[in-house]
Amino acid sequence: MTVTATSVDESDRPRPRATPAPRRARLVWLVPAAAAALSGLLLYLSFPPRPLWWLALPAFAVFGWTLHGRTWKAALGLGYLFGLGFLLPLLVWTGVEVGPGPWLALAAVEAVFVALVGVGVAAVSGLPARPVWAAAVWIAGEAVRARVPFHGFPWGKIAFGQADGVFLPLAAVGGTPVLGFAVALCGFGLYEAVRLAVEGRRTRAVRRSAAAAALLSVAVPVAGAVAARPLVSDRAEDGTATVAVIQGNVPRAGLDFNAQRRAVLDYHARETERLAEAVKAGKVARPDFVLWPENSSDIDPFANPDARAVINTAAKAIGVPISVGGVVERDGRLLNEQILWDPVQGPTQTYDKRQVQPFGEYLPLRPLVGAINKDWTSMVRQDFSRGGEPGVFTVDGTKVGLATCYEAAFDWAVRDTVTGGAQMISVPSNNATFGHSEMTYQQLAMSRIRAVEHSRTVTVPVTSGVSAIIMPDGRITRKTGMFVPAHLVQKVPLRSFETPATRLGVLPEIALVLVAAGGLGWAIGAGLRGRRAQDA
């Protein structure tokens, strides 16, 4: 008997149908993952230049939903997705001129901190009054991120998205930690209120204490902001000063900004001379002093007679002192320096930037970075040194505090000027490297928060815009466009009142970190007791 083999087409074989369980399991994983990423995006949309501050509340509410009752591994992943959804679009400006590599690396590293916060929020989600613990954990994460690595990167603090929001007066109570805590508390409280409402419909058995805690988590931050409103004022306590902000513009945006340094200096001198002509013609009031931006003279005026002559000519034309942003080499150290230039005496006072920007003004891990990409090391050929003293210029009896550009993101760097006697603050900046990106608007919002936090007028002279004058109540009263030469002149109030935020300094942040630690300790202890009970 002969047996013949026949081939069978595999496509003709009946395929087992996918059971609904694996599909449901995939959906169970995908839905919270997508929600975490999208809620991070929602948080980004709450930041300037959009005045959509209130989007932070549903962002935290959805984030709280994704983390409720999760294991630490799931919470780590969901927190990381939330961080990427938030930070990738927020920090896209960091790659405008250097490409996507540094931008993606920065967002990926910073999102790790948010992932760890996610683990903490999930851990405290089983505690009573969970919105309080969760919001404190978020602020603890911001506190760490503002300090490590490389002296920290506070960009993206929740407070910095609230310049147009109802919670803004809380900045005067406890600075960015209290303002950020209120926003996160309200968002997490919103989720808790919705969760309890749904649970109550289903089981008709919700504890009154839990419901009260959820409602208070929403109501107390709003009530606190209303109660703090009297701390916000633009009344002149120490008289007024007429200030002029100069935006000279740059020949072109980009990383070759330094190659244009003589042109940039000439542009700022020229705009100052235009201001002098306007004063002479009676079109604007004569200022008491003039504020130039960071990097307005990248040619060292102490070492280069031509730069010194240009600044002297501009100062004599306007007839009042000018605060000049220079790059200075002194005793073998490269310094980002503000120089008060008198029309008669020349340079009289200086301030050296203390919080220099990693990978922008100095290069950490230089050998490693060079091994990855040699072009990146050539962008920062010589590291800037740090200054050691707060910057407060005394100009015609007015004390002007200085926080140069990146320093505006750091609580201590601005507060030091006010405790040092500053009656107003100036934030000279250079955003030319970042083109027309959102970076300048994000930084401007920081200065608005600082104005309310310390109850001071804040001026923001920028090489290419947006330059602005901000009242102590956070209102922008004058501003320029981007990449246009312009000058702003205004009489501004001088104030000596110290807000609770100024007086308390870092104490509110320490208190919230301790609250977070207490909540996490409670959650860990409860988990250990539960395991022992199961084992028994």
Side-chain angles (χ1 to χ4, degrees):
M1 179 175 162
T2 307
V3 179
T4 57
T6 57
S7 63
V8 179
D9 189 345
E10 293 293 326
S11 63
D12 292 337
R13 291 184 184 274
R15 293 183 178 177
R17 291 185 181 179
T19 59
R23 190 177 301 163
R24 193 179 302 117
R26 284 196 297 271
L27 285 174
V28 167
W29 182 85
L30 284 173
V31 169
L38 289 174
S39 58
L41 180 62
L42 202 63
L43 184 59
Y44 154 70
L45 292 173
S46 73
F47 274 66
R50 295 159 296 278
L52 304 177
W53 58 270
W54 52 270
L55 285 178
L57 304 184
F60 277 110
V62 176
F63 189 43
W65 170 74
T66 64
L67 294 173
H68 185 77
R70 299 286 177 180
T71 65
W72 74 267
K73 289 182 180 179
L76 189 70
L78 292 169
Y80 195 71
L81 288 173
F82 179 85
L84 289 178
F86 172 44
L87 294 168
L88 276 172
L90 185 80
L91 302 178
V92 69
W93 51 268
T94 60
V96 167
E97 291 295 332
V98 295
W103 160 51
L104 294 174
L106 177 62
V109 170
E110 293 296 314
V112 171
F113 293 96
V114 183
L116 294 173
V117 166
V119 174
V121 171
V124 300
S125 67
L127 300 180
R130 54 183 62 88
V132 175
W133 309 113
V137 168
W138 180 272
I139 297 305
E142 286 191 344
V144 174
R145 203 160 65 83
R147 290 165 174 81
V148 294
F150 313 126
H151 300 277
F153 186 72
W155 216 279
K157 273 190 170 187
I158 299 306
F160 296 150
Q162 297 296 308
D164 293 303
V166 298
F167 301 103
L168 179 61
L170 290 170
V173 175
T176 59
V178 168
L179 175 53
F181 175 76
V183 175
L185 176 61
C186 200
F188 286 128
L190 185 63
Y191 161 65
E192 186 66 5
V194 172
R195 187 186 72 82
L196 290 174
V198 172
E199 184 179 308
R201 280 190 174 184
R202 190 173 62 249
T203 66
R204 300 189 181 280
V206 174
R207 286 174 300 164
R208 289 182 181 180
S209 60
L215 292 175
L216 287 172
S217 297
V218 177
V220 168
V222 177
V226 173
R229 193 66 187 82
L231 293 172
V232 181
S233 172
D234 63 354
R235 182 173 61 87
E237 295 178 318
D238 304 324
T240 60
T242 301
V243 302
V245 168
I246 297 295
Q247 178 175 297
N249 201 16
V250 298
R252 59 191 178 277
L255 283 176
D256 58 348
F257 171 82
N258 286 338
Q260 314 166 50
R261 53 189 184 167
R262 176 53 196 263
V264 173
L265 172 58
D266 288 343
Y267 281 14
H268 284 82
R270 189 180 308 155
E271 190 61 31
T272 304
E273 289 164 6
R274 287 198 188 106
L275 170 62
E277 291 170 3
V279 170
K280 189 175 181 180
K283 295 179 181 178
V284 296
R286 178 178 295 279
D288 296 310
F289 49 88
V290 176
L291 302 166
W292 283 11
E294 178 189 35
N295 297 123
S296 46
S297 179
D298 274 355
I299 303 175
D300 184 348
F302 295 104
N304 294 274
D306 57 336
R308 189 183 187 95
V310 170
I311 298 170
N312 266 329
T313 300
K316 290 181 185 301
I318 192 62
V320 297
I322 302 174
S323 179
V324 177
V327 173
V328 172
E329 191 162 358
R330 185 179 296 117
D331 301 325
R333 303 168 67 220
L334 191 64
L335 300 167
N336 186 333
E337 189 166 85
Q338 290 292 311
I339 310 161
L340 187 63
W341 206 284
D342 186 85
V344 177
Q345 302 174 58
T348 58
Q349 302 171 54
T350 60
Y351 165 64
D352 299 324
K353 187 175 181 179
R354 294 173 292 162
Q355 186 70 42
V356 294
Q357 183 183 350
F359 303 100
E361 292 172 304
Y362 79 99
L363 198 60
L365 310 174
R366 186 177 286 272
L368 177 61
V369 172
I372 297 171
N373 190 325
K374 290 182 179 180
D375 291 339
W376 293 345
T377 58
S378 65
M379 293 174 191
V380 187
R381 291 187 177 88
Q382 183 179 351
D383 292 342
F384 279 83
S385 296
R386 300 172 184 274
E389 298 294 329
V392 181
F393 284 169
T394 302
V395 193
D396 233 7
T398 298
K399 291 186 177 295
V400 183
L402 298 162
T404 305
C405 195
Y406 185 57
E407 291 183 320
F410 293 83
D411 296 346
W412 62 268
V414 182
R415 177 178 178 265
D416 278 1
T417 69
V418 180
T419 56
Q423 298 164 300
M424 62 168 287
I425 300 168
S426 185
V427 184
S429 304
N430 169 31
N431 299 337
T433 301
F434 305 111
H436 287 84
S437 72
E438 294 181 357
M439 183 269 187
T440 190
Y441 301 102
Q442 294 171 8
Q443 191 176 53
L444 184 60
M446 292 178 193
S447 294
R448 294 180 64 190
I449 300 298
R450 300 306 182 192
V452 174
E453 181 180 13
H454 299 294
S455 195
R456 295 292 186 273
T457 297
V458 177
T459 58
V460 187
V462 186
T463 50
S464 56
V466 173
S467 299
I469 296 175
I470 304 166
M471 291 292 101
D473 59 6
R475 288 178 301 120
I476 297 175
T477 53
R478 298 277 193 282
K479 68 176 182 178
T480 70
M482 292 183 71
F483 292 99
V484 291
H487 56 261
L488 306 172
V489 180
Q490 185 174 332
K491 183 182 288 187
V492 301
L494 303 176
R495 292 176 60 82
S496 55
F497 168 69
E498 287 194 353
T499 64
T502 305
R503 292 194 295 269
L504 292 171
V506 76
L507 291 179
E509 186 176 55
I510 292 173
L512 290 169
V513 170
L514 291 175
V515 169
L520 291 171
W522 185 3
I524 292 168
L528 291 174
R529 286 191 297 271
R531 286 183 184 177
R532 286 172 189 161
Q534 285 179 351
D535 293 341

